[in-house]
Amino acid sequence: MLDAINRFIQKVLKDLFRKKKHVKLGLYGPPNGGKCVTPDTEVVLANGKVLPIKALFDYVNSRKDNFDMSAASEVIIQCDDLGLHVPSFDTKKLEMVNKRVTHLYAQKYSGTVFQIRTSSGRMIKTTPVHPLIRLSDAGVEKVKAADLKLKDSVAVAQNVKLASGLQLNSVSKRLIVLNDGTVQAISAFHKPKSITAPSAITSELVRFVAYVLSESYHTKNRIIFSNCDENLLADFEMVSGMLFRLQPIKRVNKGVPQMELNSKSLTDYLELSLGLKPATSEGKAIPDQFLGLPDDLIAEFLRVYADCEGSVAKETRSGGASIEIASKSKKLLEQLQLMLNRFGIVGKFMPKVVNGELYHRLLIRGSENHRAWMEKIGFSIKYKSDRLAHLCEAGEKRNTFSLPIMNMLEKIRKSSGLTQTKFYFDDKHVLRMVRDNRITPRRLKQTAEQHQEVEVLQRLANSDALWDKIVEIKEIPYDGFVYDVTIEDTHTFLTSAGIIAHNTTLANRICQDWLGEDMGIVSSIPHETREIKIKEQINIKSGKKELSFNLVDTPGIATKIDYEDFVKHGLSVKKAKERAKEATKGVIDAIKWLDDMDAVIVVLDSTYDPYSQVNITIIGNLQARNIPVLIVANKVDLKKSDMKKIEAAFPQYEVVGISAKYGKNMDNFYDLLFKLVK
Amino acid sequence: MLTLQFVPYEEIEGLTSNERIKKLLGMVKDERIVVLEGRLRKEEEAELIRKTMEEINDRFKGIELSVVYPERRKGTLGRMLKNNITDMLLGQRQGLTVLGPASLIKEIKKDPDKIQLFTQERKKKRKR
């Protein structure tokens, strides 16, 4: 008796003096997972800047909310007013467009990340639920990384148009501007020679930078350009004089002619006006601003760079006919690829080891790419130009970016009653194409031209994406922050390697956190969440609303676990027994947490019988503990959905119907959530 | 054959929480369906599930559990205090708890003031 009274008093005291510092919210339902990429994933911005997604997040965080990331486990920042734009792929029209970034996300994640490599050497690391864009006979769709398979074809960008200004950064604050308009580096010991300073990006400056990046030794006070070609040497001398009024010193080093510009004013000027810093070959990078230049200047840069650094295969047969650009800097090659993208040229990245040192190669293969190079970029060195002309004559070969849609095309052909010869232009290779289920982009274009009336053909043939085969999927353990962005309307962004990744949406993010569900895809295996996941200090800020809390994602509490249920879902008996054991432990842990919860969200599928989904005893138990419960009924967009049944099952609780798939009624859910934890 | 066992509240009233759980779980593991007068304390309910989880193995698949009790609307502070004190002093005599082995009971439906119990059809008899 005394014991009972004592317990009652304790409870009343606990209720009265309950600390409300961090609300602990229990999530009773399926597992959650972040749809994110790793921090090193480089994102392309519309102005040509390429930066790691973490740097982008940190920048936005510093401009907006300034969340303390060391304490947070998940942060969502709204940033649609910052005017950040990225090139984005419209998955319906299959076009690249520039779109605004509206939100950025960071989330602590511990688990597996998928490293996906494509046949053209592109790579991306994402969490298992992060989707890429896939093309198959079923059409263009987004598919989670975990559901992608080898040989699937994912989208890489082909026609990216970045735009930046021609104006250079002002250097007047860091360099001395003399009376004659020339600029001089600041030095304590001597008076460096002044140079004239161009104020805008011109054809000469573009060429000069290409010389510096391709074959120059660039330190903090000198630039030495080495090349055997007389014309290139002469051009370097000319642009140095025109741009900076500098006369290079001519030398010959080990038989190679050199031009040396010995000027601290020049190196400082390049760094301040363009961000072109002295760098070793690994660290070389093209100034961000150059990626968004007009077509003619980009073409000029590429031509000069490839004149110096590119090699063109002699033979069309041996070892792949290609234009090859090698560098120790992967970033530089990715930037070159982004520039080439302007002209629809897409190459392949391959590593190369020379004398034990790792180099990277960008290989431009395929006569279509070669013709585009010939027409839009060209070479000024004659033998390279001649070789390229020879490559352009080559016939069509199997192509890295062939499209896996022959089954679909055959269906269209059969329904139109045409023969293969008529439908595909001619019947050459068609047997092989059907067998491999692959058609080259060029063949698709020819076919599409023949059949203007077939809309899907037109869209695919004129798409701004190429389709790149997955050749490797690795699962890597990961522990740390992962990041994501939301792009308005089109919801895709571009990585520096050119892979198009789908983004997350605010509604989706909440669905994942609260409902563990991503656009209607849910694991059908019972007891998927077998461990407690705790996320501390989650901050959500949207509009005027702000919420900070701890989230405890618990396994659903069951009173029975039968390993045979797992066997029914395809697990081996041994695995099923292991999983059942884990599940029992999960339930035990979840029970321990019950006392610690401030509020609980129960997620139900409104198209199924509520009683078969939730352990009513547990709900009753929560009620007995005076823990507020919010019932979320998902999938109200479906006809089968029966909200009345759910409401009738829980007369004593607030029930909110939502559609995670379409983000329907999320505001209402939000409001109730705020109410629940306050 | 299905065995139903009625347990009046007096039978568990004098027991400690651990003893109550042990007793109920023992009956269920004996393949009996238990109808208990009143309900367990909330901590005991949770502890029962916890214990069940610990004992799950290839043959014992867990339990099905359902509780019906009169709906108590939140009233005035005085009424709530009175209810709470009654519960504390007398235990929860009101209501009814049904539990049984998951291998026998397919599901228990609570709707919310009536209980429907669906039993599993046995495919084959197990040799003991």
Side-chain angles (χ1 to χ4, degrees):
Chain A
M1 173 83 92
L2 273 175
D3 183 41
I5 292 170
N6 190 25
R7 268 209 310 269
F8 174 67
I9 293 169
Q10 289 291 325
K11 188 184 167 319
V12 171
L13 284 174
K14 195 176 157 193
D15 282 354
L16 281 174
F17 297 103
R18 193 190 285 203
K19 278 185 192 164
K20 276 283 179 188
K21 201 176 163 198
H22 268 307
V23 178
K24 271 203 199 86
L25 204 57
L27 176 69
Y28 179 68
N32 77 84
K35 191 167 91 167
C36 291
V37 293
T38 52
D40 52 345
T41 305
E42 299 212 318
V43 178
V44 180
L45 302 187
N47 63 5
K49 231 180 167 56
V50 179
L51 73 174
I53 193 162
K54 180 185 183 302
L56 181 64
F57 179 88
D58 291 345
Y59 164 74
V60 171
N61 192 18
S62 70
R63 292 281 307 272
K64 301 284 290 182
D65 301 289
N66 242 329
F67 281 124
D68 176 10
M69 294 302 289
S70 61
S73 77
E74 173 156 0
V75 173
I76 300 173
I77 305 174
Q78 191 171 359
C79 62
D80 44 4
D81 52 341
L82 283 187
L84 280 172
H85 284 75
V86 296
S88 175
F89 183 63
D90 183 331
T91 49
K92 290 199 181 84
K93 293 182 182 156
L94 308 188
E95 284 171 359
M96 293 300 302
V97 280
N98 278 345
K99 287 286 172 186
R100 196 160 49 149
V101 180
T102 59
H103 293 82
L104 270 150
Y105 306 87
Q107 165 181 27
K108 257 188 197 151
Y109 173 76
S110 175
T112 309
V113 292
F114 282 71
Q115 177 180 301
I116 293 170
R117 196 162 60 83
T118 65
S119 74
S120 72
R122 290 166 166 81
M123 207 158 74
I124 188 166
K125 271 190 264 175
T126 77
T127 51
V129 291
H130 192 103
L132 299 182
I133 312 297
R134 178 176 78 181
L135 174 72
S136 68
D137 286 316
V140 176
E141 59 196 337
K142 53 175 193 158
V143 180
K144 288 179 185 179
D147 294 336
L148 284 168
K149 294 184 190 71
L150 289 179
K151 292 192 182 165
D152 276 354
S153 288
V154 293
V156 300
Q158 184 180 21
N159 294 309
V160 183
K161 290 193 171 53
L162 306 169
S164 56
L166 293 173
Q167 213 60 34
L168 288 164
N169 293 337
S170 161
V171 293
S172 56
K173 281 187 188 153
R174 302 273 305 276
L175 294 178
I176 302 163
V177 181
L178 303 178
N179 288 340
D180 61 354
T182 59
V183 294
Q184 188 182 56
I186 299 165
S187 169
F189 306 108
H190 67 294
K191 232 169 121 188
K193 189 174 173 354
S194 69
I195 58 163
T196 50
S199 58
I201 299 174
T202 57
S203 150
E204 287 77 27
L205 184 63
V206 162
R207 262 151 49 213
F208 182 80
V209 172
Y211 290 129
V212 173
L213 283 170
S214 59
E215 299 215 280
S216 295
Y217 175 67
H218 183 185
T219 66
K220 56 181 183 184
N221 48 22
R222 73 182 55 151
I223 289 168
I224 307 169
F225 173 68
S226 316
N227 200 290
C228 291
D229 188 275
E230 278 175 23
N231 292 330
L232 295 181
L233 288 165
D235 191 46
F236 181 82
E237 188 178 355
M238 188 187 83
V239 293
S240 304
M242 276 178 73
L243 292 167
F244 312 112
R245 251 188 3 210
L246 286 173
Q247 180 63 40
I249 304 160
K250 292 169 199 168
R251 288 209 182 89
V252 176
N253 185 9
K254 292 177 189 163
V256 181
Q258 288 184 335
M259 295 256 175
E260 180 173 330
L261 293 172
N262 219 325
S263 165
K264 176 93 168 70
S265 302
L266 172 64
T267 51
D268 280 4
Y269 166 79
L270 290 175
E271 182 168 351
L272 293 169
S273 65
L274 270 174
L276 185 66
K277 293 178 190 160
T280 55
S281 41
E282 288 103 323
K284 282 189 175 177
I286 300 169
D288 291 333
Q289 207 177 346
F290 271 40
L291 273 74
L293 293 178
D295 286 2
D296 55 334
L297 290 181
I298 294 248
E300 184 136 23
F301 179 87
L302 289 167
R303 179 174 53 76
V304 175
Y305 192 93
D307 273 341
C308 297
E309 200 76 302
S311 69
V312 188
K314 237 189 272 180
E315 295 290 329
T316 51
R317 277 173 299 149
S318 61
S322 60
I323 302 168
E324 174 179 329
I325 298 168
S327 171
K328 271 191 133 175
S329 164
K330 181 108 193 267
K331 174 159 188 184
L332 186 121
L333 289 186
E334 284 180 347
Q335 288 177 313
L336 284 173
Q337 172 61 79
L338 276 169
M339 287 179 149
L340 285 167
N341 236 311
R342 185 76 68 99
F343 309 110
I345 298 171
V346 180
K348 196 169 170 167
F349 293 104
M350 297 256 276
K352 178 187 189 178
V353 178
V354 182
N355 297 332
E357 285 197 64
L358 178 68
Y359 284 80
H360 303 277
R361 289 185 292 175
L362 176 62
L363 299 171
I364 311 297
R365 288 181 173 162
S367 45
E368 188 139 331
N369 274 334
H370 296 153
R371 276 190 288 275
W373 189 298
M374 188 74 165
E375 193 188 312
K376 289 161 184 160
I377 303 168
F379 282 103
S380 50
I381 294 182
K382 191 170 178 306
Y383 84 92
K384 289 188 183 179
S385 190
D386 290 348
R387 283 185 187 177
L388 180 62
H390 184 50
L391 292 186
C392 289
E393 286 160 18
E396 195 190 13
K397 297 208 175 58
R398 279 189 210 211
N399 187 299
T400 310
F401 301 111
S402 57
L403 299 85
I405 50 166
M406 277 305 282
N407 293 336
M408 179 170 90
L409 295 184
E410 279 293 277
K411 256 188 219 159
I412 297 173
R413 180 186 71 78
K414 281 174 190 160
S415 68
S416 65
L418 291 173
T419 61
Q420 289 186 334
T421 318
K422 276 206 168 149
F423 189 79
Y424 298 109
F425 202 51
D426 67 38
D427 66 350
K428 222 171 148 189
H429 309 307
V430 173
L431 258 181
R432 189 195 72 201
M433 285 154 54
V434 172
R435 189 189 63 218
D436 297 350
N437 190 24
R438 296 244 161 214
I439 183 167
T440 61
R442 187 181 175 195
R443 193 69 180 266
L444 180 70
K445 258 188 197 146
Q446 288 170 341
T447 309
E449 271 164 26
Q450 297 281 309
H451 311 286
Q452 296 286 342
E453 71 288 354
V454 188
E455 205 203 322
V456 62
L457 273 185
Q458 302 306 322
R459 244 190 291 159
L460 282 171
N462 301 312
S463 146
D464 283 342
L466 285 176
W467 304 93
D468 200 357
K469 220 171 12 180
I470 295 176
V471 291
E472 187 186 74
I473 301 175
K474 262 194 204 164
E475 291 183 38
I476 304 170
Y478 182 85
D479 190 9
F481 272 100
V482 284
Y483 297 83
D484 206 348
V485 292
T486 295
I487 314 298
E488 65 178 359
D489 307 330
T490 44
H491 300 296
T492 57
F493 63 96
L494 195 63
T495 67
S496 62
I499 294 182
I500 296 165
H502 200 273
N503 75 177
T504 209
T505 60
L506 186 60
N508 213 328
R509 161 104 277 147
I510 295 165
C511 290
Q512 281 170 355
D513 275 349
W514 311 118
L515 317 179
E517 180 176 353
D518 178 31
M519 305 303 249
I521 309 162
V522 116
S523 164
S524 57
I525 301 180
H527 301 288
E528 260 306 280
T529 307
R530 300 183 299 280
E531 293 168 5
I532 305 260
K533 289 180 196 147
I534 306 154
K535 290 187 184 174
E536 288 186 346
Q537 203 193 326
I538 297 175
N539 304 291
I540 293 188
K541 199 173 180 179
S542 176
K544 286 177 188 164
K545 295 170 192 164
E546 191 174 353
L547 189 60
S548 171
F549 49 85
N550 295 349
L551 183 75
V552 187
D553 184 8
T554 71
I557 295 177
T559 54
K560 58 176 179 183
I561 287 159
D562 188 348
Y563 77 89
E564 282 172 19
D565 287 344
F566 298 115
V567 177
K568 278 180 208 153
H569 282 90
L571 265 67
S572 69
V573 173
K574 193 181 162 206
K575 275 257 159 76
K577 283 185 180 173
E578 278 171 18
R579 190 171 274 212
K581 191 85 211 158
E582 284 171 26
T584 58
K585 279 192 195 132
V587 175
I588 292 171
D589 284 345
I591 290 170
K592 279 187 206 153
W593 272 95
L594 277 180
D595 257 344
D596 239 14
M597 235 56 101
D598 292 308
V600 166
I601 298 170
V602 176
V603 187
L604 294 174
D605 185 334
S606 65
T607 64
Y608 285 98
D609 177 16
Y611 297 103
S612 66
Q613 298 179 64
V614 184
N615 192 307
I616 303 286
T617 314
I618 294 300
I619 305 278
N621 200 285
L622 290 168
Q623 193 185 22
R625 289 165 196 260
N626 288 327
I627 296 171
V629 173
L630 175 63
I631 312 274
V632 180
N634 190 19
K635 301 194 186 175
V636 290
D637 54 297
L638 296 178
K639 267 190 186 165
K640 270 182 12 190
S641 147
D642 190 349
M643 274 298 286
K644 282 199 178 127
K645 204 169 173 183
I646 309 256
E647 278 163 4
F650 306 100
Q652 64 276 50
Y653 295 113
E654 192 101 52
V655 179
V656 57
I658 61 155
S659 162
K661 190 169 178 179
Y662 300 106
K664 194 181 154 194
N665 214 12
M666 293 309 290
D667 285 346
N668 198 1
F669 168 56
Y670 239 162
D671 289 343
L672 288 170
L673 187 70
F674 279 75
K675 223 166 85 185
L676 189 75
V677 294
K678 265 175 189 165
Chain B
M1 196 181 65
L2 209 63
T3 317
L4 278 173
Q5 179 159 359
F6 178 68
V7 182
Y9 195 77
E10 284 81 23
E11 217 171 288
I12 59 161
E13 199 176 6
L15 302 179
T16 64
S17 290
N18 264 343
E19 286 165 343
R20 287 178 181 193
I21 289 158
K22 208 175 155 192
K23 185 182 173 91
L24 291 173
L25 207 52
M27 289 182 205
V28 172
K29 285 184 86 176
D30 246 3
E31 307 221 317
R32 275 176 279 177
I33 292 168
V34 181
V35 181
L36 169 75
E37 185 192 358
R39 66 178 299 185
L40 295 170
R41 289 195 196 99
K42 57 184 195 284
E43 298 86 6
E44 289 168 353
E45 234 169 57
E47 181 62 15
L48 175 68
I49 298 172
R50 201 186 67 76
K51 270 259 156 48
T52 305
M53 285 299 125
E54 280 179 0
E55 305 214 356
I56 281 182
N57 55 34
D58 291 0
R59 287 185 53 194
F60 177 59
K61 306 284 167 66
I63 59 169
E64 279 292 355
L65 170 74
S66 194
V67 188
V68 268
Y69 53 94
E71 171 88 15
R72 226 182 243 160
R73 301 237 172 255
K74 278 189 180 172
T76 57
L77 186 70
R79 193 180 165 80
M80 276 165 72
L81 267 173
K82 189 184 149 205
N83 282 337
N84 272 325
I85 291 171
T86 326
D87 282 357
M88 292 290 171
L89 300 182
L90 296 176
Q92 296 201 356
R93 220 174 238 282
Q94 286 179 309
L96 207 63
T97 305
V98 179
L99 70 158
S103 54
L104 275 181
I105 305 173
K106 206 163 105 194
E107 61 176 311
I108 301 177
K109 277 191 180 181
K110 205 184 101 174
D111 212 353
D113 48 0
K114 97 185 158 205
I115 286 187
Q116 283 177 298
L117 193 142
F118 300 83
T119 54
Q120 204 83 269
E121 275 181 44
R122 282 253 165 128
K123 282 170 208 149
K124 55 182 179 185
K125 276 200 169 172
R126 259 188 221 130
K127 279 182 187 168
R128 291 215 155 210

